[in-house]
Amino acid sequence: MKTIQLVGSRNKSDFTIYLSHLLTKLDQRVLIVDTTERGIYQHGIARLNGNQHLYDFQQIDILAGAKEWLDVEELLRIEGESTTNYDTIIVDMDSAKIISNEWPIFEERYYIGDEERLNQMQDIDLLHLLFDETEDKNIKRVTFKSGYELSGDYFDNLLNNRATWRSMNHMIEPDEFMISLRIQMGHDHIIPFKKVNKQYKDVLCEIVSEIYEMHIKEVQDAVKTSFFKFGTKRVKKEKTKERALAIGSSN
């Protein structure tokens, strides 16, 4: 099981869902833990009933109501699941209170940010707290760019150059459809991955490639051939059925 921590005040739900969707194409079983203050996944994507905490969204499990790791284990137990049943667990955090709670040492940590000043100023406090709580300044970075030309070291200077970025800064270019696709995801209850622009998809593939030490072409092919793989399986199943019927009739 691999644990991934996503930190930042920005709405990361679409990024997290797309990343998780890509992992499911690699036959990974994925759990997203929604610890966001507004319950972004719980209210924006999931359709939970009564005391339900676990929701299956297009083969991606979303867990709502957890504020620390013990909550994750207990809520999964109530739902008849366990952390060990998942290949990847992604925890989305956007508040100081959640970061300060008890969590395991995450194998992968990503700061998901953008160039909006409000988010940057909030994220400075979040990152400083994260580094203080964990005594670890190593973290990877994903930045959603804007049309505004902002100095590349602007955020690092605000952060007093405290972060040790573990890999290249993954940059996702602006797209006029990005927000509308996130809205579509919530209302139509689908993952519009095919409509995501190529540059965004390439970044997602790069991230999966570096996390799981896979060749990037293998990751890209998993998405491209998923339909054909399904079709092949279905054809093989039908041929097997036909063969069985033929054998039965000959006997």
Side-chain angles (χ1 to χ4, degrees):
M1 178 186 69
K2 188 174 287 289
T3 54
I4 302 174
Q5 179 186 39
L6 304 183
V7 179
S9 56
R10 186 183 193 278
N11 184 339
K12 304 181 286 301
S13 60
D14 49 348
F15 171 85
T16 310
I17 292 292
Y18 294 144
L19 178 63
S20 301
H21 176 71
L22 183 51
L23 291 174
T24 64
K25 296 302 179 184
L26 292 165
D27 296 322
Q28 294 256 333
R29 190 169 185 222
V30 183
L31 173 70
I32 297 173
V33 181
D34 181 10
T35 71
T36 61
E37 283 194 320
R38 292 183 294 160
I40 291 172
Y41 303 82
Q42 177 180 354
H43 302 299
I45 297 174
R47 309 286 197 270
L48 297 171
N49 298 315
N51 295 322
Q52 183 184 8
H53 293 279
L54 191 64
Y55 186 78
D56 178 2
F57 176 61
Q58 303 294 318
Q59 299 182 336
I60 300 167
D61 281 0
I62 297 174
L63 184 69
K67 302 302 180 185
E68 60 182 11
W69 190 249
L70 287 178
D71 291 342
V72 174
E73 295 178 324
E74 177 60 18
L75 291 175
L76 286 176
R77 185 192 64 78
I78 293 173
E79 297 284 353
E81 288 284 1
S82 167
T83 56
T84 58
N85 292 343
Y86 295 93
D87 299 297
T88 302
I89 297 179
I90 302 174
V91 183
D92 187 340
M93 300 182 178
D94 65 358
S95 71
K97 181 179 179 181
I98 293 299
I99 287 176
S100 298
N101 288 342
E102 293 294 327
W103 297 98
I105 297 175
F106 288 94
E107 296 169 80
E108 300 288 342
R109 304 197 305 177
Y110 281 86
Y111 164 59
I112 314 297
D114 56 27
E115 296 180 329
E116 187 171 340
R117 181 171 171 79
L118 173 62
N119 291 337
Q120 289 182 331
M121 298 308 294
Q122 292 176 331
D123 290 346
I124 289 169
D125 293 334
L126 286 180
L127 289 173
H128 278 303
L129 178 63
L130 177 67
F131 300 152
D132 291 339
E133 289 287 329
T134 61
E135 298 182 354
D136 181 1
K137 296 181 289 183
N138 290 289
I139 192 168
K140 296 176 182 178
R141 182 179 179 184
V142 177
T143 302
F144 284 82
K145 294 287 293 179
S146 68
Y148 179 73
E149 291 296 327
L150 190 65
S151 171
D153 58 0
Y154 177 79
F155 185 73
D156 282 326
N157 291 334
L158 288 178
L159 199 57
N160 296 323
N161 294 300
R162 194 177 178 199
T164 303
W165 306 115
R166 283 182 50 201
S167 65
M168 63 177 287
N169 181 12
H170 298 287
M171 311 289 283
I172 297 178
E173 299 296 333
D175 187 319
E176 60 180 311
F177 298 112
M178 199 175 291
I179 295 176
S180 63
L181 290 181
R182 185 170 68 213
I183 293 173
Q184 181 185 13
M185 187 186 298
H187 286 287
D188 293 349
H189 211 238
I190 61 171
I191 302 175
F193 190 82
K194 291 182 179 179
K195 297 181 181 179
V196 175
N197 70 57
K198 182 181 182 302
Q199 192 267 341
Y200 195 161
K201 289 178 182 175
D202 286 345
V203 170
L204 291 167
C205 289
E206 288 172 7
I207 291 171
V208 172
S209 175
E210 74 180 14
I211 290 176
Y212 294 93
E213 298 181 348
M214 300 173 61
H215 194 285
I216 191 165
K217 189 176 185 305
E218 185 180 353
V219 181
Q220 293 170 335
D221 288 347
V223 180
K224 291 178 182 177
T225 62
S226 60
F227 172 79
F228 299 102
K229 284 180 180 178
F230 173 79
T232 302
K233 287 180 181 178
R234 183 170 61 183
V235 168
K236 285 182 178 179
K237 186 176 181 180
E238 289 176 352
K239 286 184 176 179
T240 302
K241 185 177 180 181
E242 289 173 0
R243 192 178 299 114
L245 289 172
I247 294 171
S249 60
S250 64
N251 292 335

